[in-house]
Amino acid sequence: MKALKDRIIKDGKCFPGGILKVDSFINHQMDASLMRSMAVEFVRRFASARINKIITVEASGIAPAIMVGNLLELPVVFAKKKKPSTMEHMLCTTIHSFTKGKDYTVCVSQEYLGPEDRVLFIDDFLANGNAALGILDLVKQAGASLEGMGFLIEKSFQNGGNELRRMGIHVESLAIVDSLDNCTIQLHD
Ligand code: 5GP
């Protein structure tokens, strides 16, 4: 998606270890117009999918997910990063965080994810695919079905995209970063 790619080149910043910071328009300050345009693009790319719910992980997936939910007029559920003591009938899974280098638990209530749900997972970044695989585990535990996964930015030099596509999942990424070597952002055409 050209608008996102242009913005990454203009405002994205490389950090050691293959991390791209997009804090000025996605991860800290957010560009709501760009966020909306990205959601419109997801709606176009998943037009043939039979979705009845959007799912994401807090916190950075919530903004793009709610934009998609708004356009499709569908509910948006986010997996919570702390086990809430008051949540009943929870499903939980463990995810390894690429950026923080540690494991964390995410939970979703069975009240909001069940066998009747056909979900689209939306997140900001796809790196090694751990967050995506964690959500897939929750979807399976709930007896729900996964219709697709949409990412704002995929880093193709990490393995998540390959793995998810190999599993037959419909994956859409709005911008693909091929390399961050030498702190130069190289985007896929
Ligand atoms: P994965 O689980 O695919 O390894 O990593 C995806 C998650 O880690 C995303 O939810 C995102 O929050 C974070 N992440 C991975 N790589 C990057 C990156 O280069 N920049 C930022 N800002 N977040 C990242």
Side-chain angles (χ1 to χ4, degrees), residues 18-20 27 60 98-99 123-131 155:
I19 294 190
L20 175 67
N27 284 138
S60 49
F98 167 72
T99 42
D123 204 2
D124 58 344
F125 274 87
L126 172 60
N128 292 314
N130 292 313
K155 295 185 292 180

Side-chain angles (χ1 to χ4, degrees), residues 13 15 17-23 26-27 57-61 81 95-100 104 121 123-133 151 153 155 157-158 160-161 164 180:
K13 296 198 172 17
F15 278 74
I19 294 190
L20 175 67
K21 281 255 180 186
V22 286
D23 277 6
I26 292 177
N27 284 138
V57 193
E58 69 173 340
S60 49
K81 280 191 175 162
I95 292 178
H96 182 76
S97 165
F98 167 72
T99 42
K100 299 199 172 80
Y104 61 97
F121 172 59
D123 204 2
D124 58 344
F125 274 87
L126 172 60
N128 292 314
N130 292 313
L133 291 172
F151 302 91
I153 302 172
K155 295 185 292 180
F157 56 90
Q158 292 175 281
L164 298 177
L180 293 173

Side-chain angles (χ1 to χ4, degrees), residues 14 26 80 85 101 129-130 137 146 160 167 169 176 180 187:
C14 290
I26 292 177
K80 294 192 172 223
S85 56
N130 292 313
D137 182 38
L146 180 77
M167 292 166 76
I169 296 172
I176 299 181
L180 293 173
L187 296 179

Side-chain angles (χ1 to χ4, degrees), residues 31-150:
D31 182 332
S33 314
L34 178 63
M35 206 60 97
R36 189 177 191 285
S37 307
M38 294 190 288
V40 168
E41 182 63 15
F42 279 135
V43 170
R44 191 182 70 77
R45 294 192 190 194
F46 288 105
S48 61
R50 287 178 60 243
I51 303 157
N52 69 353
K53 194 166 280 187
I54 312 299
I55 192 163
T56 188
V57 193
E58 69 173 340
S60 49
I62 294 177
I66 205 160
M67 282 283 181
V68 176
N70 177 262
L71 291 173
L72 293 175
E73 298 183 7
L74 291 175
V76 180
V77 179
F78 63 93
K80 294 192 172 223
K81 280 191 175 162
K82 283 216 179 83
K83 254 190 208 173
S85 56
T86 51
M87 197 195 281
E88 288 183 328
H89 311 297
M90 322 180 271
L91 303 169
C92 296
T93 196
T94 303
I95 292 178
H96 182 76
S97 165
F98 167 72
T99 42
K100 299 199 172 80
K102 59 177 188 189
D103 289 355
Y104 61 97
T105 301
V106 294
C107 301
V108 68
S109 167
Q110 276 177 295
E111 220 178 316
Y112 306 120
L113 188 63
E116 66 290 351
D117 289 324
R118 301 182 308 274
V119 303
L120 172 65
F121 172 59
I122 296 287
D123 204 2
D124 58 344
F125 274 87
L126 172 60
N128 292 314
N130 292 313
L133 291 172
I135 290 297
L136 181 60
D137 182 38
L138 291 179
V139 167
K140 282 184 178 161
Q141 287 185 49
S145 60
L146 180 77
E147 292 292 314
M149 294 188 163

